[in-house]
Amino acid sequence: MILGGDGYCGWATALHLSNRGYEVAIVDNMCRRTFDDQLGFNSLTPIKGIHERVRVWEEVSGKRIQLYVGDICDYEFLSAAFQAFEPTACVHFGEQRSAPYSMMDRSRAVFTQTNNVMGTINVCYAIKEFAPECHLIKLGTMGEYGTPNIDIEEGYITIEHNGRTDTLPYPKQGNSFYHLSKCHDSANMLMCTKTWKMRTTDLNQGVVYGVATPETMMDDRLVNRLDYDAVFGTALNRFAIQAAVGHPMTVYGKGGQTRGFLNITDTCKCIQIACDNPAPPGEMKIYNQFTEQFSVNELAALITEAGQKLGLDPQVINVPNPRTEMEEHYYNAKHSKLQDLGLEPNLMKESILESLLTTVVKYKDNVDQRLILPGVNWTESASVGKTIAK
Ligand code: NAD
């Protein structure tokens, strides 16, 4: 059962698993599409509605994906979906996932934490009540750890203090209401795991880039979403689109901010690995789900090189950083556990960047350049609701 299966990671993963013979259901309330409608954004790629998507998938692959349209915060709806589908694994992508969105104003901060934290509590209860053996695979983010001045471990750290030793959850310091919603989720899940002997895996995912997967390429109507606006667009995808339309790449501040990245095809593989390796009852496994780390300046340089090969002329501008974050810092995060379980990463080689740029160039006429510059400033988050992003 893929919660958030109409979204960027969820759609690619649903098709990946379905294509490999897993019986898949998508659960989604389409709120991501509503955010676009409310803010005047749009995916660069012309995505089809979810009903057409699953119909086309059946037509193309002969495989059926079940669809449950509803809100996981609505426990009655979620219970009915659990009872009907009887999942053995529940992959939880179904959250509001933009840090800028969560920092726009008070009501969106509250929405983000209510939607995410309450949704995850509901999922834990649904598993406890209707599918106690079901393995919960929950998407967290590397942003939960922040940027500590020491190595980041995979979930747990062994600490010696006043002569005693313990292995404890690695300290969390999210720097937006969104990132903090993930920290709260992790704490809630750990408690449920121990108390109800649930099987859980928390995947602290890095920034995902790319758009094509073997399955989404099987038909134009299966194309995945690709966000380039300053609220939902993530670093590398945004730079690729800016390069393609001749807009300078917007490096926030000094550009030394370093994060973990992974290709969308590796997101799918990691989820499959997590599904195939369920946690034992009562234990929450935590993996850092990324394959390489780059600074924002390094990303811009990589796109410049790949773009020049395609005849583009990518430029860079440093814009004032709308976020409150360190722009030069130590960053060394461990990420070996998924590779130990068999992940063969699809690294950010030039060929990958070139194929991303080629897809982006194909749809570049859809870009609204007004949506590119940052419009949400962390320090100016308003108590009064905003109706537009700027
Ligand atoms: P997305 O916004 O494209 O997809 C999320 C989906 O969940 C949307 O289709 C949305 O409609 C659905 N959803 C949200 N709240 C819901 C609710 N209450 N009930 C039912 N459906 C709901 O996001 P994404 O980029 O695919 O990210 C998926 C997950 O992975 C998120 O939890 C995100 O935090 C995490 N993640 C993403 C990235 C990234 O780079 N995209 C990086 C790290 C972690």
Side-chain angles (χ1 to χ4, degrees), residues 202-222:
D202 201 5
L203 296 172
N204 289 325
Q205 183 167 241
V207 183
V208 186
Y209 65 88
V211 65
T213 62
E215 289 76 26
T216 62
M217 283 193 293
M218 283 162 70
D219 190 296
D220 271 354
R221 294 167 295 171
L222 297 173

Side-chain angles (χ1 to χ4, degrees), residues 146-163:
T147 49
N149 200 28
I150 54 171
D151 292 347
I152 296 173
E153 302 298 321
E154 290 201 62
Y156 299 97
I157 183 167
T158 301
I159 297 177
E160 206 188 301
H161 182 62
N162 292 346

Side-chain angles (χ1 to χ4, degrees), residues 29 45 128 233 242 253 326 373:
N29 68 346
T45 44
K128 176 179 188 288
Q242 292 170 350
M326 280 197 269
L373 287 177

